[in-house]
Amino acid sequence: MYTNNNPYNVEDRCYDPEHIESVLEVISKNFKTYFSRYIETDGGVIKELNIKSLEDKFGISSVKKKNPKDIGLTYKSIINDAIEKYESDRAKYLKILDPDYLDEFYDSPQVFKSKILRNECPIIRATINMGSKALDKYRANFNACDPNLMLDVTFNLVEFALDYIENTYNEDEYDNISEIDDLGLYDLDFEPADKPYSANGVIGGGIRSHFLYKISPAAFPNRGRMALWALWYLTDNKTFGCHTDSEFIMVDINKCITQQNYFYPYELFTYYAFHIYKMLKEKADEYGVNIDTKYRYVLVESFLNFVAGEHITDIELFSHQISNEGRGYD
């Protein structure tokens, strides 16, 4: 079913059941350690206060092991904080990603591009306005991109999401998914020629998944930069027989750059995100914590950001020459 026509995509073996099972086995092993740290640091709050660096320097621990009751309360707090953060700008996305609202711009696609996306869409506005030279290529791509294409791609993504939620996603059965095909996300990676879901380095895999995530975090995880780095660490940087390197990163030996694989297939990423959700849910059940499945992938996003955050110094070191690529937000 899967044919890899993109030389920058993953190798075909990455879809083999045996390969996927091997990846999940390592993720499951490392999940336990990261989850303990996730709870001990209140989801990374202590790390954000730079206390972790003191621990490493002096060989001491600033956190105390929590008893089961404390773990449950802490886990609830982490989940609530993650949802609050997620919702803080969601209304802006839901306004933009409304099919009736988008339809109003088919007479003025340039307004949609230059006013709505550039100035009102949080992720695109932040990317364009960030002063980093690393994003010069993104800004150039944005300026050159056909506004009709940008409007079409956005509308297609919204149409896909709404159709998926209505006809594919089943809340009662979702947690019982066992095969990658059951996710029903194939078209997002192998998009039909007459219905594009990406736009010339402007709406790529990262921003595309962010749009879907803001529409429904019950069904769509956010395949952002930190999430892919997190999977690299959760899999011990293993290649699992891939010839190039880990499927989650890209290495440019000539430029000494290592960065997330911004071509990573969304369906495959979602399958791993789904299993990480199941691990997080198992912990929630263990400590008597309820997970509102409407925010299923908000919790996954929180956990993956934490995992990557534990290694943020190394990540920035690996990708310090990313300005040559201009793909930091894909």
Side-chain angles (χ1 to χ4, degrees):
M1 179 178 180
Y2 294 97
T3 301
N4 184 2
N5 295 319
N6 186 342
Y8 299 103
N9 211 313
V10 297
E11 297 172 26
D12 289 337
R13 68 176 295 118
C14 294
Y15 286 100
D16 292 343
E18 296 81 5
H19 174 93
I20 291 173
E21 188 61 35
S22 296
V23 172
L24 286 173
E25 184 178 341
V26 178
I27 289 176
S28 180
K29 174 179 69 73
N30 288 325
F31 172 83
K32 299 172 185 177
T33 300
Y34 280 107
F35 183 81
S36 294
R37 181 73 184 169
Y38 184 57
I39 295 298
E40 289 169 1
T41 63
D42 296 323
V45 172
I46 292 177
K47 180 68 179 287
E48 291 175 3
L49 295 175
N50 295 320
I51 295 177
K52 176 68 163 58
S53 61
L54 295 177
E55 296 177 17
D56 295 339
K57 182 176 180 180
F58 297 108
I60 60 174
S61 176
S62 59
V63 294
K64 297 180 179 179
K65 296 290 184 181
K66 299 177 184 287
N67 63 45
K69 182 178 180 180
D70 289 338
I71 291 175
L73 293 174
T74 300
Y75 203 6
K76 287 179 183 178
S77 177
I78 291 171
I79 294 171
N80 290 338
D81 288 347
I83 292 173
E84 183 178 354
K85 181 178 179 181
Y86 168 83
E87 288 288 357
S88 64
D89 63 357
R90 191 185 184 196
K92 296 176 182 178
Y93 286 98
L94 293 181
K95 175 186 175 183
I96 295 170
L97 302 174
D98 180 284
D100 292 333
Y101 182 74
L102 290 171
D103 197 50
E104 296 176 8
F105 293 97
Y106 272 96
D107 290 331
S108 53
Q110 183 60 43
V111 174
F112 177 73
K113 170 185 173 178
S114 59
K115 182 177 184 296
I116 305 304
L117 288 184
R118 179 188 289 271
N119 297 328
E120 297 183 17
C121 177
I123 190 171
I124 292 180
R125 184 184 67 233
T127 304
I128 290 175
N129 292 335
M130 190 173 292
S132 172
K133 189 172 178 59
L135 296 169
D136 282 351
K137 186 174 181 180
Y138 182 87
R139 285 185 279 267
N141 287 339
F142 184 93
N143 291 333
C145 194
D146 180 358
N148 290 284
L149 175 61
M150 297 173 81
L151 181 56
D152 282 343
V153 165
T154 305
F155 190 90
N156 290 343
L157 285 170
V158 170
E159 189 175 58
F160 175 90
L162 297 180
D163 179 73
Y164 182 91
I165 294 165
E166 179 69 24
N167 298 308
T168 302
Y169 176 79
N170 184 323
E171 172 59 32
D172 294 332
E173 297 296 329
Y174 191 86
D175 282 3
N176 297 322
I177 284 176
S178 60
E179 304 292 336
I180 190 171
D181 288 348
D182 296 339
L183 289 169
L185 297 171
Y186 178 88
D187 283 350
L188 283 175
D189 292 320
F190 301 88
E191 52 195 273
D194 61 344
K195 182 170 282 192
Y197 295 120
S198 58
N200 301 342
V202 178
I203 302 176
I207 289 178
R208 179 174 62 192
S209 75
H210 194 77
F211 282 178
L212 296 173
Y213 174 63
K214 286 298 183 178
I215 292 172
S216 174
F220 304 116
N222 187 29
R223 199 224 67 182
R225 179 188 179 214
M226 290 295 100
L228 289 170
W229 276 110
L231 288 176
W232 190 62
Y233 284 104
L234 282 167
T235 53
D236 286 334
N237 325 139
K238 293 180 181 293
T239 63
F240 299 97
C242 291
H243 298 296
T244 53
D245 208 303
S246 167
E247 64 201 85
F248 303 113
I249 61 169
M250 298 190 300
V251 179
D252 187 326
I253 297 175
N254 293 327
K255 296 180 181 179
C256 300
I257 299 170
T258 302
Q259 54 190 312
Q260 80 282 5
N261 182 1
Y262 41 72
F263 292 110
Y264 198 80
Y266 187 65
E267 186 172 43
L268 192 52
F269 170 80
T270 300
Y271 193 66
Y272 289 127
F274 167 72
H275 280 278
I276 290 171
Y277 157 72
K278 293 289 290 289
M279 296 175 199
L280 290 165
K281 185 178 185 300
E282 184 177 334
K283 286 295 185 182
D285 293 342
E286 180 181 348
Y287 295 108
V289 176
N290 177 63
I291 294 179
D292 185 343
T293 53
K294 290 188 302 184
Y295 295 101
R296 173 182 286 109
Y297 288 117
V298 172
L299 180 54
V300 174
E301 170 84 346
S302 171
F303 179 72
L304 292 180
N305 279 339
F306 166 78
V307 172
E310 289 283 277
H311 305 278
I312 193 62
T313 301
D314 288 340
I315 290 172
E316 296 304 328
L317 179 63
F318 289 143
S319 55
H320 75 284
Q321 292 182 339
I322 199 170
S323 57
N324 293 330
E325 300 297 316
R327 299 298 298 260
Y329 275 76
D330 211 356

